[in-house]
Amino acid sequence: VTGPELTIQIEDAAVAANPRSVAAHFTLASLYAAREQMEEATREFNEVLRLNPQATIAHIELARIHLALGETKMASDFAEQAVQTAPKDIDAQALFVRTLISRGETTRAAAALRPLIDTRMDRSDLHVLDGTIRLAHHEFAAARQAFQRALAIEPDGLQALEGLLTTEIESGNLSAARAAIERRLAARPANTPLLMLAARTYSSIGAFDRDEATLRKAMELAPSSPQPYGMLASIYLGQRKLDEARAEFEQVTKRDPKSVPALTMIGTIQELQNAMPGAQRSYEQALQIDKRAAVAGNNLAWLYA
């Protein structure tokens, strides 16, 4: 055993050797969280709190896990406990505001956020939270200003950019949204998260030709990420052009028989067409070329199941 599994085994052994070690449980919990094994991470963070109820960082991590899982009440409870144990911790307070927003308690969130921004005007994440609250209240001008302040502090901040784009779209300023994302793409054309944000923006403003081209580029740059395949397949399904898209990707494989993204996309389209034997062959072919082709491997596992 090597890599992350070995690290977890070593940390497991440390916990077994000293089950009352807060540090050992916290390290193990962090390893599980990094591997997105949330059930195991939650168990270990709770053990940290059992051993040390004042461990603010464990409250924060549990709040983040529950927020990611959509369990907003639990997330808010843990974040509030973090604030109570460490009332001067800006990170804990910011997370508590985020949980309130997720629960739709934006008035309460705004009241909790105001003193934080007054204290730390230099934190972009606080301005993002401010913009999110303003946007929820349809205060478009104020939301735009908040997101712009966040971008002035952290120019590459995707959350701030996404908030600004959403503000422009919801206020009906579609041309401004398109111009903003295209300026960023011109500066960072090979940034996959930015390409995915651009694809969502193009979809929202109805620029489906740019949406498709952007997803194709994201798929080429990050062939192991499932999001571009799923979004692209949804476009083809919605436009009823599965046959056309499949033929196009088949032409790609004729030019480049080792194109794992093209083979994976063919398999995805075949699944949508209920051509399961063909989809299986396409995924198997992709894995013969690259045994680490994550999307093809995951989809093939589902077919086998």
Side-chain angles (χ1 to χ4, degrees):
V1 180
T2 59
E5 283 294 343
L6 178 60
T7 307
I8 285 180
Q9 285 189 16
I10 291 171
E11 200 55 41
D12 257 329
V15 169
N18 185 3
R20 296 195 60 77
S21 169
V22 171
H25 282 289
F26 182 81
T27 303
L28 183 56
S30 300
L31 289 169
Y32 280 132
R35 288 170 57 84
E36 297 186 354
Q37 294 177 241
M38 296 311 184
E39 184 177 346
E40 293 84 351
T42 299
R43 181 191 68 222
E44 292 300 325
F45 281 129
N46 276 316
E47 185 63 16
V48 169
L49 289 177
R50 189 185 70 81
L51 296 169
N52 179 10
Q54 302 303 308
T56 304
I57 187 62
H59 284 122
I60 289 174
E61 293 302 327
L62 283 166
R64 286 176 176 156
I65 287 173
H66 287 294
L67 191 59
L69 295 173
E71 299 166 351
T72 56
K73 175 64 167 62
M74 290 287 287
S76 187
D77 288 348
F78 276 114
E80 190 166 17
Q81 289 175 51
V83 171
Q84 289 173 356
T85 56
K88 294 184 179 181
D89 190 315
I90 297 289
D91 290 331
Q93 294 180 65
L95 181 58
F96 180 52
V97 171
R98 189 172 292 112
T99 64
L100 290 175
I101 293 172
S102 71
R103 298 183 66 192
E105 298 183 40
T106 51
T107 301
R108 186 180 173 196
L113 180 63
R114 191 74 265 157
L116 302 184
I117 291 181
D118 292 341
T119 303
R120 293 295 305 272
M121 287 289 293
D122 61 327
R123 285 191 47 153
S124 64
D125 61 324
L126 300 182
H127 293 294
V128 170
L129 292 173
D130 185 29
T132 304
I133 293 168
R134 304 282 190 177
L135 184 56
H137 293 167
H138 297 106
E139 300 170 4
F140 297 121
R144 186 179 296 110
Q145 290 173 358
F147 291 126
Q148 287 172 338
R149 281 193 292 268
L151 286 167
I153 297 167
E154 187 182 352
D156 292 332
L158 277 181
Q159 283 189 323
L161 179 57
E162 184 168 12
L164 180 61
L165 295 171
T166 303
T167 300
E168 301 295 13
I169 291 167
E170 290 194 9
S171 63
N173 202 350
L174 304 188
S175 60
R178 181 165 185 160
I181 191 61
E182 289 184 347
R183 281 195 301 271
R184 295 305 172 109
L185 280 177
R188 304 187 68 185
N191 183 286
T192 304
L194 187 59
L195 284 166
M196 294 304 299
L197 176 56
R200 293 194 296 273
T201 302
Y202 287 132
S203 178
S204 296
I205 66 177
F208 297 113
D209 56 333
R210 295 292 298 140
D211 188 10
E212 181 178 345
T214 303
L215 287 169
R216 284 174 179 262
K217 187 170 184 179
M219 190 172 65
E220 292 294 334
L221 288 170
S224 294
S225 173
Q227 284 84 10
Y229 296 93
M231 289 179 67
L232 199 52
S234 295
I235 290 174
Y236 295 144
L237 184 61
Q239 296 178 353
R240 298 182 180 179
K241 52 184 288 189
L242 292 176
D243 290 333
E244 179 185 336
R246 177 176 163 182
E248 188 176 339
F249 281 107
E250 285 171 348
Q251 285 298 316
V252 173
T253 62
K254 287 179 181 178
R255 295 192 300 269
D256 180 8
K258 293 189 176 181
S259 174
V260 170
L263 286 166
T264 305
M265 199 65 227
I266 291 169
T268 303
I269 292 170
Q270 287 170 319
E271 277 198 74
L272 290 172
Q273 295 174 320
N274 206 30
M276 300 309 178
Q280 180 175 322
R281 286 192 298 271
S282 296
Y283 294 140
E284 288 172 341
Q285 191 175 346
L287 287 165
Q288 285 172 3
I289 297 165
D290 181 3
K291 63 181 180 181
R292 294 173 299 178
V295 179
N298 180 74
N299 292 0
L300 183 60
W302 276 105
L303 285 183
Y304 285 158

